[in-house]
Amino acid sequence: MGRSLVERVRSGEVAAIARMLTRVEANRNGVGDDLAELYRGARRAHLIGVTGPPGSGKSTLVAALAAAMRRRGRSVGILAVDPTSAFTGGSVLGDRIRMAALSGDDGVFIRSMATHGALGGLARATGDAVTVLEAAGKDVVLIETVGVGQDEVEIARASHSTVLVSVPGMGDAVQAIKAGVMEIADVHVVNKADRDGADRLVAELRDMVRQGRYVRAAGWPVPIHRTVATDGDGVDELVDLLDQHRAWLVKHDGLGPREREIAASRLRNGALALLLARMEDPASATGFEALVDAVAERRLDPLTAASRLIDVHLTNGEETR
Ligand SMILES: Nc1nc2c(ncn2[C@@H]2O[C@H](COP(=O)(O)OP(=O)(O)OP(=O)(O)O)[C@@H](O)[C@H]2O)c(=O)[nH]1
Ligand SMILES: [Mg+2]
């Protein structure tokens, strides 16, 4: 008794972190106040996004990275963001973590994030979960996303360092470009380097990076690194590369532009989630249902209706301020 949930999160209590994340995910009433308190003054963790096609070994790699970071004495938070099947995603990650023998270690906190309702809600919830883990004092937060849609790219982008995982023999590099995720990579990882075709994939990626069309930060030489996540091969070197990337960011811009990128992304996601929630709130009298009728009956086109909805909402917002 006595100590608030916020205080208990701040002292890194595992049960409190779990409870706060459940509140964040469900977007419970009052969680906004807790998050505001947690956000202010929270120490910045090194945010590392790990993205790539399904089955490329992201979870295995994340677990191996976490283990390597633990050996260096760092505390780690892991968020596995699965927009398609949060349930199986979580259990798969759970298996990988058990494989890496991380369970039972209080220095690692693992959570899979599920999507609830509104578009953009997942990105909002992920950002808020990062706030909680930072406030709990994690040195590093690893965020795994399946890099297929815009939401996931947005989540991966809201990191200091983004790892793009490809595997040999699937035409991944080409796929990644098509999906528009190529330029988010600060570090390319060719995982499953034990398989045929790793050399060719490395060469392909090297060509692309050399052409410079897909480079996120000018002046940072994007490394192309091989791993065999299942054996832990190349994982320690990947930790070194990520340290180097963070040091490079600090040296070149004091993290400023990257922090602003993260802040901008969080502001966008927050605004989107709030706007959608308020517009659809039956109690807020924004006329959502009436506009739905008008669009369904073709009395109004969707864009005009959307514009009216936003106008009404913004006016309401001003009046209540
Ligand atoms: N041969 C080989 N297999 C690997 C390697 N890394 C992971 N795997 C295997 O690849 C499969 C998928 O690994 P996961 O870590 O679940 O991949 P993921 O990218 O997280 O998958 P999703 O989250 O479902 O997109 C598992 O069977 C792993 O054991 C590797 O370096 N070499
Ligand atoms: Mg996974």
Side-chain angles (χ1 to χ4, degrees):
M1 282 287 112
R3 293 211 311 147
S4 70
L5 190 58
V6 165
E7 286 168 54
R8 289 170 52 210
V9 166
R10 281 215 178 107
S11 59
E13 210 182 294
V14 172
I17 300 171
R19 228 179 96 200
M20 189 61 90
L21 289 179
T22 301
R23 286 163 54 75
V24 161
E25 213 172 6
N27 208 7
R28 296 265 163 76
N29 278 340
V31 74
D33 292 338
D34 287 348
L35 284 166
E37 212 179 324
L38 290 170
Y39 189 81
R40 284 192 297 268
R43 206 167 50 101
R44 241 318 174 207
H46 185 188
L47 307 185
I48 300 174
V50 177
T51 194
S56 50
K58 297 175 296 297
S59 295
T60 313
L61 186 66
V62 161
L65 274 173
M69 286 164 172
R70 289 299 294 141
R71 286 195 294 274
R72 299 186 189 195
R74 301 176 196 171
S75 59
V76 180
I78 300 176
L79 297 172
V81 183
D82 189 340
T84 48
S85 61
F87 193 75
T88 49
S91 63
V92 168
L93 181 72
D95 289 345
R96 304 272 166 265
I97 299 304
R98 270 190 292 283
M99 267 171 47
L102 286 172
S103 58
D105 174 4
D106 271 5
V108 182
F109 189 96
I110 303 153
R111 181 75 168 215
S112 46
M113 304 293 295
T115 181
H116 286 297
L119 179 80
L122 188 58
R124 193 271 312 154
T126 305
D128 289 345
V130 166
T131 296
V132 173
L133 293 172
E134 285 185 321
K138 298 300 173 204
D139 298 314
V140 183
V141 178
L142 296 161
I143 307 159
E144 175 190 342
T145 59
V146 181
V148 283
Q150 205 48 51
D151 247 21
E152 298 77 59
V153 170
E154 181 76 10
I155 291 165
R157 194 191 292 279
S159 307
H160 296 114
S161 309
T162 302
V163 176
L164 184 56
V165 181
S166 325
V167 292
M170 279 169 49
D172 288 313
V174 179
Q175 265 174 27
I177 295 163
K178 282 192 184 144
V181 303
M182 193 72 192
E183 78 283 358
I184 67 172
D186 296 303
V187 176
H188 281 287
V189 164
V190 172
N191 189 43
K192 308 197 184 184
D194 51 325
R195 289 194 177 170
D196 286 346
D199 289 342
R200 205 178 50 200
L201 178 55
V202 168
E204 250 179 80
L205 290 169
R206 192 163 286 148
D207 278 349
M208 280 170 210
V209 168
R210 202 175 286 144
Q211 286 163 21
R213 272 188 295 156
Y214 304 104
V215 174
R216 188 176 176 190
W220 164 252
V222 177
I224 297 152
H225 183 67
R226 293 169 203 240
T227 57
V228 182
T230 37
D231 299 341
D233 287 358
V235 172
D236 267 311
E237 295 79 0
L238 181 54
V239 176
D240 292 337
L241 286 172
L242 290 165
D243 286 353
Q244 284 162 26
H245 180 248
R246 185 160 206 271
W248 184 89
L249 286 177
V250 169
K251 187 174 168 219
H252 284 82
D253 56 33
L255 282 180
R258 214 40 89 96
E259 288 295 354
R260 292 202 84 249
E261 227 180 296
I262 295 169
S265 158
R266 295 203 51 187
L267 184 57
R268 263 197 304 275
N269 293 328
L272 193 63
L274 266 183
L275 201 58
L276 284 169
R278 283 192 194 163
M279 286 188 317
E280 293 182 18
D281 179 2
S284 77
T286 51
F288 183 79
E289 296 302 333
L291 285 166
V292 170
D293 288 340
V295 173
E297 291 159 12
R298 307 229 159 202
R299 285 183 279 115
L300 207 58
D301 69 286
L303 202 60
T304 305
S307 151
R308 276 192 204 169
L309 200 55
I310 288 170
D311 287 347
V312 167
H313 169 77
L314 291 178
T315 319
N316 281 353
E318 271 159 29
E319 277 165 9
T320 55
R321 221 139 272 149

